[in-house]
Amino acid sequence: MLSMLATSVPIIVATILNMFFLKTSLFQTLNKPIDNQITLKDGNRLFGANKTWRGFWGMVFFSSICCIAWGGISSQIPALEKYVLLYSHYENSVFYNFIVGVLLGLAYGIFELPNSFLKRRINIQPGKSKKSLGGIGFIVLDQVDSLFGCVLVVSLVHPMTLFYYISFVIFGGFIHIVLSSLLYLMKLRSNF
């Protein structure tokens, strides 16, 4: 669990920074929907208004910066660095951390899209959830969708079993729920 947490720090911090970023007026020109407002035959958007290029590229930017910073911090604390799975087979360098950070940010953004697509197909509005058994399933999926991608990136640099992969996603989901609750209480997130 300590390795999972130590490895997750950059993406956790990047998520928080991206939430703050999205509350600012910076880079409004990127505040365009990823789906380009495409509406399918069911009358609903492809992904919805909440999936924007601003949020997507913000996540890529912040995860790369956070990976570089976390690499610098952990290189100064050998006891910490040994727990960061990103460095178990590869050298902790600025270039490596930048590449991993970009990949984590891309995976985070891309793996959120199928969930948004499915929610639009069953008429769940962006940022909302249904009060039903299926709605609860989407609440859980909202907490782990991006983690499937992020843990996949980690598995590329630190091979893992399927059991470990699923355990990492579940652990990350728990952290995401705690983080989402805090962001909701801080009014940085409009729903939970």
Side-chain angles (χ1 to χ4, degrees):
M1 290 254 254
L2 194 54
S3 289
M4 291 178 188
L5 182 59
T7 304
S8 300
V9 167
I11 205 70
I12 292 169
V13 175
T15 302
I16 294 168
L17 292 174
N18 201 36
M19 288 287 224
F20 278 109
F21 167 66
L22 292 174
K23 295 289 182 188
T24 71
S25 60
L26 297 171
F27 295 99
Q28 286 297 320
T29 55
L30 291 175
N31 207 19
K32 293 178 174 49
I34 291 174
D35 67 10
N36 202 26
Q37 300 186 13
I38 293 172
T39 302
L40 299 183
K41 289 181 182 179
D42 62 8
N44 292 313
R45 295 267 299 276
L46 185 63
F47 301 124
N50 286 358
K51 298 299 171 211
T52 66
W53 289 111
R54 187 167 172 250
F56 183 87
W57 292 117
M59 196 64 203
V60 172
F61 173 77
F62 288 116
S63 62
S64 62
I65 296 300
C66 289
C67 278
I68 291 169
W70 189 237
I73 291 167
S74 59
S75 71
Q76 300 303 309
I77 309 168
L80 170 64
E81 187 177 41
K82 74 177 185 176
Y83 286 104
V84 181
L85 299 176
L86 302 174
Y87 311 130
S88 61
H89 298 289
Y90 293 90
E91 182 184 349
N92 178 357
S93 70
V94 172
F95 181 72
Y96 169 75
N97 287 315
F98 172 75
I99 296 299
V100 169
V102 167
L103 291 174
L104 284 169
L106 288 170
Y108 189 100
I110 291 168
F111 275 73
E112 282 190 318
L113 296 178
N115 182 26
S116 293
F117 175 82
L118 290 173
K119 285 167 66 176
R120 297 307 84 78
R121 303 298 59 84
I122 60 170
N123 293 319
I124 299 176
Q125 295 305 308
K128 305 292 181 201
S129 61
K130 281 192 173 182
K131 307 292 186 226
S132 67
L133 187 59
I136 292 169
F138 277 107
I139 290 171
V140 172
L141 189 56
D142 274 343
Q143 305 307 311
V144 298
D145 55 3
S146 55
L147 297 173
F148 282 105
C150 292
V151 176
L152 180 62
V153 171
V154 175
S155 75
L156 296 175
V157 298
H158 179 85
M160 58 184 72
T161 64
L162 181 60
F163 177 77
Y164 192 86
Y165 177 91
I166 298 298
S167 300
F168 203 155
V169 169
I170 291 169
F171 175 77
F174 173 76
I175 297 296
H176 201 270
I177 289 168
V178 170
L179 178 62
S180 293
S181 300
L182 291 173
L183 292 171
Y184 177 76
L185 292 172
M186 295 168 59
K187 299 194 184 321
L188 289 173
R189 197 178 166 124
S190 58
N191 65 329
F192 176 72

